Amino acid sequence: MKKNSALTVICTTIFLIGIIAILLSNRNPESMTPAWILLAVSIVYLLSGWYLFRGYNPEGRPLLLFFTGYLYASVFITFTFRSAGWPLAGIFLYLAPVWAVAQLVITVMIRKKLSKEGLIQFLTEGGIMLILTIVHLFKN
């Protein structure tokens, strides 16, 4: 199982941009720029997660990778709504930990099919998303 390092770097960069945008939205809540960045990150994960996650799981099934991209997009769209102050932000915030846990459960279920680096990456990103959602949930 050969890992595609270019896709791995792109996917990690997109994730880091999203995390930085979340932190910026907390630091400067009246700015809409982080909300638009988070919306862009969500759209990227939703539309091309099935392709980008091939960097972590080269032999993964497209449907499974699409679902993983959907879960990532769902968590980031939660922070988009929260950052922008749009309606439904509260409902999404209560659902986001479920989406993050679902991503972690899927990762654990397919751990034997993942490379060691892919497993660590998925678990790290899922853990970060779960921690951020729980912190925001209690902060709300």
Side-chain angles (χ1 to χ4, degrees):
M1 177 175 347
K2 186 168 171 29
K3 200 170 86 159
N4 188 339
S5 60
L7 285 177
T8 302
V9 170
I10 291 170
C11 199
T12 303
T13 303
I14 292 169
F15 183 78
L16 289 175
I17 289 170
I19 296 300
I20 290 169
I22 291 169
L23 297 175
L24 287 175
S25 72
N26 289 333
R27 190 87 167 136
N28 191 5
E30 49 280 338
S31 175
M32 283 296 290
T33 304
W36 292 113
I37 293 170
L38 288 166
L39 181 62
V41 168
S42 297
I43 291 170
V44 166
Y45 275 128
L46 186 61
L47 297 179
S48 62
W50 62 271
Y51 178 73
L52 292 175
F53 288 131
R54 288 199 181 278
Y56 300 156
N57 186 8
E59 297 171 10
R61 301 201 187 282
L63 187 59
L64 177 64
L65 295 176
F66 172 78
F67 187 64
T68 303
Y70 170 78
L71 293 172
Y72 271 60
S74 299
V75 171
F76 281 109
I77 202 73
T78 297
F79 289 109
T80 302
F81 274 62
R82 180 160 164 71
S83 175
W86 293 339
L88 296 177
I91 294 171
F92 280 174
L93 192 57
Y94 287 112
L95 290 173
V98 175
W99 292 326
V101 167
Q103 188 271 330
L104 287 170
V105 167
I106 289 171
T107 300
V108 169
M109 287 173 53
I110 64 167
R111 71 183 177 275
K112 292 181 181 174
K113 296 180 182 179
L114 293 171
S115 67
K116 183 179 178 183
E117 296 87 15
L119 177 64
I120 291 170
Q121 191 73 27
F122 273 132
L123 290 175
T124 302
E125 290 178 359
I128 290 171
M129 288 189 298
L130 182 61
I131 290 168
L132 282 173
T133 57
I134 290 172
V135 165
H136 278 80
L137 192 61
F138 286 119
K139 189 177 174 182
N140 194 16

